[in-house]
Amino acid sequence: MTSSLPLRPLWLTYFHRCVFVALLLPLSLFSQLALAISAIHIQADSIEAPAGSIKNAQFQVSLKGTEPSLKLQAQVKPANEKEFIPFDLSCGHFQTEEIGKIDCIDGNFTAKQIKAPFAMRLFMRSGKALAHNSEPDLSANILFSHVNFSDASGLHAGENLAGQLKFEATHINDTWHWNGLFSWVEGELLWQPFYFGKAGNKLEVKGTFKQPMLRVQDANLLVNGVGSMDATAAINTQTKAVEDIHVDAKDVDFAGLYATFLKPLAEKSVFGDLAVTGKADWRFEFEHLEPKRFNLNLREASIDDHHGKFAFYGIDAHLPWDYDNAQTMMLSYNRGHLLKVPLGKAKLSAEINRYSLIASKLSLPVLDGVLNFYDVSAAMIDKQWYWHLRMDLTPISMNGFSKALGWPEMRGQILGKIPMITYANKQLDMDGAMTFSVFNGMIGMDNLKIDDPLGVAPKLNADLLMRGLDLGELTRTFSFGNIEGKLDGDVKNMRLENWKPVYMDAMIQTSEGKHVKKISQRAVENITALGGEGTAAALQRTFLHFFKEFNYDKIGLSCKLRQDVCEMGGVESTPTGFVIVKGKGIPSVNVNGYTQKVSLEDLLARIKRITDGNSKMIVK
């Protein structure tokens, strides 16, 4: 596949030249017999060939002087094209020193958006008596330089291409034995979506042709920055069917392979901007253009997302695939991270059966716990992936988890279960509620749906609930000031686009039931900063500033987010705002909020200042 990319404009050129040679051989013979003729003009209205058609062809040969010249003008239509393309071919120095040998020096080929200077030597043997001579029956050697081409779409272009194209063929016992070389040593090539900025690529190929089978017995492609690949193939020229293809690549540079071939294909996915290292071997086989077998091995490889979403280091993988027989894949890595959460050393295995993958359990060490996947099943149907699995998380230290995410240092543990998750038609759905135990309470998620989770702009919809969170643990964790009590919360109709909140109805409030309800002055200051200054200043002007803590009846704060604007609320409304903390008993204090509409960015900035311990009262 890769070798055909840089060859198509050259193939068009080569097609033109081959037709030219077929008509010119009799001319070369004639020029040997009639040197007194000073000029030759040949016109052909139409020429049909299996590779395409030529019309309005005009040959002009000038034999004046010591350097004869040749010009060819025609219109060509390759077999797979719809329209004729006009072109000009000229040889500034054209010579035929002996029958069957033609040299074209200082040649130039031009067509629409194509300019290709070249030099060419062609040879065609005549006569059966010479068939067993050591020289081939047919040979061509073309040197090209400063070749430039493009198309109207801008998807295919080459600039300053230089290299060599050679072909030889010998006819023995009704079979043609042939070999060829394409060497590209200078210039840049764009063949959307692939860009080849490095020259130094070479294709060497040899094979046989016996009607109707064209066999590629040995093809070697060297791609600069990637490595070397070997291939064989069998093509039926009558049915135009590619019957067998075998490709082997050993010790290929994984970084070069990704940058040249894989990244352009994955550009619009989560795998489109990676840093990779390591070595790779692979082998694949096709029968009648249908995949038959595949084997990919990675050694000491790494994959690191430039956007920090994930990374895996020290990868060793054996990924086999067979159309007829089930295979076992093995993958291991030494370390990594997922959304900044560290991953420990893991070794995974699963069964691959044609277009499905099955694993009873996969375990990923995460910090000091383990994330387990159960009943993993995935299948590709009509070129779309479908899968399902269950998950649970063994206890993980909140201290390490919070540090990994760059949050304030937390205490305790996090653990939980995730029910069946399914993925179909680029949408992830969760069947049931996902629950986690944290801060001596429970956090759950329900109605989870993620559209295109592996795309560049995923969309998430979910509902969150929090029950019985210990405010003492929570506030000490975030250096918020001390609040004793229990907290409930609900986040309904939460919607994230590219992992950023754009819509939700969120409310946190004091849990029902009997429990100690006290709040420190420092916590009052920080809550005030969330709802707008004013209360804290008033507090400082009264005797209440002598108390370190107060009793309260209810605490509540809400946000109705629409795009980037959050409409704030509390436990109840006031003529000028809303109540965040409603006091009770002696001493008690009410905390009111006055800014009812605030941008999400500003609200998050306020929270960050508070949790960083930088919030200070403003006294006027």
Side-chain angles (χ1 to χ4, degrees):
M1 178 185 71
T2 56
S3 63
S4 64
L5 295 177
L7 294 178
R8 186 167 183 254
L10 297 172
W11 178 86
L12 290 175
T13 305
Y14 186 57
F15 168 75
H16 304 159
R17 296 169 185 167
C18 287
V19 175
F20 157 64
V21 172
L23 293 174
L24 196 59
L25 282 176
L27 177 61
S28 68
L29 176 61
F30 179 78
S31 66
Q32 298 295 314
L33 301 175
L35 296 178
I37 299 176
S38 61
I40 299 172
H41 180 86
I42 299 176
Q43 181 171 332
D45 294 331
S46 179
I47 301 173
E48 298 291 336
S53 306
I54 286 182
K55 69 177 183 179
N56 301 330
Q58 295 188 24
F59 298 88
Q60 294 181 357
V61 180
S62 174
L63 302 177
K64 294 180 179 179
T66 58
E67 296 185 354
S69 62
L70 176 144
K71 292 183 178 181
L72 167 62
Q73 292 181 324
Q75 296 183 48
V76 64
K77 183 176 78 65
N80 59 342
E81 300 290 343
K82 295 181 179 180
E83 298 180 355
F84 280 87
I85 303 171
F87 71 91
D88 293 311
L89 187 148
S90 63
C91 294
H93 181 190
F94 166 72
Q95 62 184 26
T96 57
E97 295 180 354
E98 58 181 276
I99 295 175
K101 288 187 178 181
I102 300 173
D103 288 336
C104 177
I105 303 171
D106 194 20
N108 193 39
F109 173 82
T110 57
K112 185 179 181 180
Q113 296 178 291
I114 300 175
K115 184 176 181 181
F118 68 93
M120 174 175 61
R121 167 163 288 185
L122 299 169
F123 171 74
M124 179 177 287
R125 186 181 303 284
S126 62
K128 294 183 179 180
L130 300 177
H132 298 291
N133 192 283
S134 60
E135 293 187 0
D137 296 318
L138 175 65
S139 67
N141 189 357
I142 302 171
L143 301 176
F144 56 91
S145 63
H146 299 95
V147 173
N148 296 284
F149 74 88
S150 62
D151 60 12
S153 67
L155 300 178
H156 310 98
E159 184 175 352
N160 291 326
L161 297 176
Q164 182 180 24
L165 181 64
K166 293 180 67 176
F167 179 81
E168 294 181 349
T170 302
H171 193 250
I172 303 174
N173 297 330
D174 297 327
T175 301
W176 283 97
H177 298 260
W178 55 271
N179 63 80
L181 166 70
F182 172 74
S183 177
W184 164 31
V185 296
E186 292 181 8
E188 300 172 82
L189 178 68
L190 169 67
W191 200 272
Q192 190 69 19
F194 304 108
Y195 170 70
F196 299 87
K198 295 181 179 180
N201 306 302
K202 182 169 67 173
L203 171 66
E204 294 181 278
V205 59
K206 66 180 180 180
T208 63
F209 174 69
K210 183 176 182 180
Q211 190 68 24
M213 296 305 298
L214 174 66
R215 299 186 184 279
V216 178
Q217 297 174 331
D218 185 11
N220 178 265
L221 173 65
L222 176 64
V223 179
N224 192 358
V226 179
S228 179
M229 290 164 274
D230 295 301
T232 62
I235 304 168
N236 190 313
T237 58
Q238 288 183 348
T239 63
K240 298 183 180 179
V242 181
E243 297 186 356
D244 294 289
I245 299 178
H246 299 258
V247 177
D248 280 285
K250 294 183 179 180
D251 210 31
V252 171
D253 184 78
F254 191 29
L257 177 69
Y258 172 78
T260 304
F261 298 109
L262 302 182
K263 182 177 180 177
L265 297 175
E267 199 166 23
K268 295 183 178 181
S269 76
V270 71
F271 305 108
D273 192 13
L274 307 178
V276 304
T277 62
K279 294 293 184 179
D281 302 332
W282 86 80
R283 174 185 178 90
F284 63 83
E285 300 177 18
F286 283 77
E287 290 184 7
H288 303 287
L289 291 183
E290 293 293 331
K292 191 68 175 178
R293 295 176 187 86
F294 175 84
N295 198 334
L296 172 65
N297 294 314
L298 297 177
R299 299 187 304 280
E300 298 180 358
S302 69
I303 299 174
D304 196 340
D305 175 44
H306 282 141
H307 302 284
K309 294 179 180 178
F310 59 88
F312 298 93
Y313 305 101
I315 301 171
D316 286 309
H318 172 59
L319 307 175
W321 180 85
D322 192 292
Y323 187 85
D324 297 317
N325 303 301
Q327 301 288 318
T328 299
M329 61 153 283
M330 304 290 292
L331 185 147
S332 65
Y333 57 85
N334 292 330
R335 61 185 180 89
H337 71 79
L338 184 62
L339 298 177
K340 297 183 179 180
V341 178
L343 301 176
K345 187 175 183 179
K347 187 173 183 179
L348 311 174
S349 65
E351 181 182 283
I352 301 176
N353 193 346
R354 194 168 292 184
Y355 300 119
S356 67
L357 180 147
I358 300 173
S360 59
K361 182 179 178 180
L362 299 174
S363 296
L364 304 182
V366 180
L367 293 170
D368 54 346
V370 179
L371 179 62
N372 296 305
F373 299 87
Y374 302 96
D375 302 328
V376 179
S377 178
M380 178 177 282
I381 304 173
D382 295 330
K383 298 182 180 180
Q384 295 287 336
W385 276 105
Y386 298 81
W387 54 262
H388 68 256
L389 54 83
R390 295 184 296 111
M391 301 167 61
D392 71 30
L393 180 65
T394 64
I396 290 178
S397 167
M398 286 295 293
N399 183 280
F401 184 74
S402 57
K403 286 182 178 179
L405 294 179
W407 294 350
E409 188 173 332
M410 300 182 186
R411 295 187 296 178
Q413 292 181 321
I414 181 172
L415 67 156
K417 286 188 176 182
I418 301 174
M420 189 65 72
I421 296 177
T422 61
Y423 176 84
N425 299 319
K426 293 187 177 182
Q427 179 172 292
L428 184 148
D429 293 271
M430 186 171 65
D431 183 14
M434 172 173 57
T435 59
F436 293 95
S437 299
V438 63
F439 296 121
N440 298 323
M442 183 272 292
I443 296 178
M445 178 181 289
D446 203 358
N447 301 317
L448 174 66
K449 296 182 184 292
I450 306 178
D451 291 327
D452 199 14
L454 298 180
V456 293
K459 297 180 180 180
L460 180 148
N461 292 270
D463 296 326
L464 295 177
L465 71 156
M466 295 168 278
R467 295 294 181 265
L469 300 187
D470 188 329
L471 277 170
E473 289 285 341
L474 184 64
T475 54
R476 282 190 292 272
T477 293
F478 289 96
S479 301
F480 194 81
N482 187 46
I483 304 177
E484 297 296 331
K486 296 286 186 178
L487 182 72
D488 293 344
D490 290 279
V491 182
K492 297 182 178 180
N493 304 314
M494 180 177 66
R495 185 165 72 240
L496 278 60
E497 294 182 359
N498 198 20
W499 311 115
K500 294 181 180 179
V502 296
Y503 189 102
M504 65 179 172
D505 295 319
M507 177 69 184
I508 57 173
Q509 59 190 356
T510 303
S511 302
E512 297 293 336
K514 293 183 177 181
H515 47 86
V516 177
K517 299 176 184 177
K518 291 186 178 292
I519 181 170
S520 69
Q521 188 174 144
R522 177 61 174 164
V524 169
E525 298 169 12
N526 287 326
I527 291 176
T528 299
L530 290 178
E533 282 81 11
T535 301
L539 180 66
Q540 288 295 307
R541 291 192 293 268
T542 71
F543 72 93
L544 294 177
H545 74 277
F546 292 107
F547 293 91
K548 292 184 177 181
E549 62 181 17
F550 308 92
N551 299 318
Y552 70 89
D553 181 39
K554 292 181 180 179
I555 294 177
L557 189 65
S558 67
C559 166
K560 289 185 176 181
L561 179 65
R562 304 295 184 265
Q563 292 302 322
D564 188 47
V565 177
C566 190
E567 183 179 341
M568 305 289 290
V571 295
E572 58 186 50
S573 299
T574 68
T576 57
F578 51 93
V579 177
I580 303 175
V581 180
K582 186 175 182 179
K584 180 182 179 181
I586 299 174
S588 68
V589 64
N590 285 355
V591 179
N592 294 347
Y594 299 100
T595 307
Q596 290 186 289
K597 290 189 177 182
V598 61
S599 73
L600 180 63
E601 183 179 356
D602 187 23
L603 181 60
L604 294 176
R606 293 182 189 182
I607 295 173
K608 187 177 188 303
R609 286 196 299 271
I610 292 169
T611 56
D612 286 345
N614 296 324
S615 178
K616 297 180 180 179
M617 286 191 300
I618 300 176
V619 181
K620 298 182 180 178

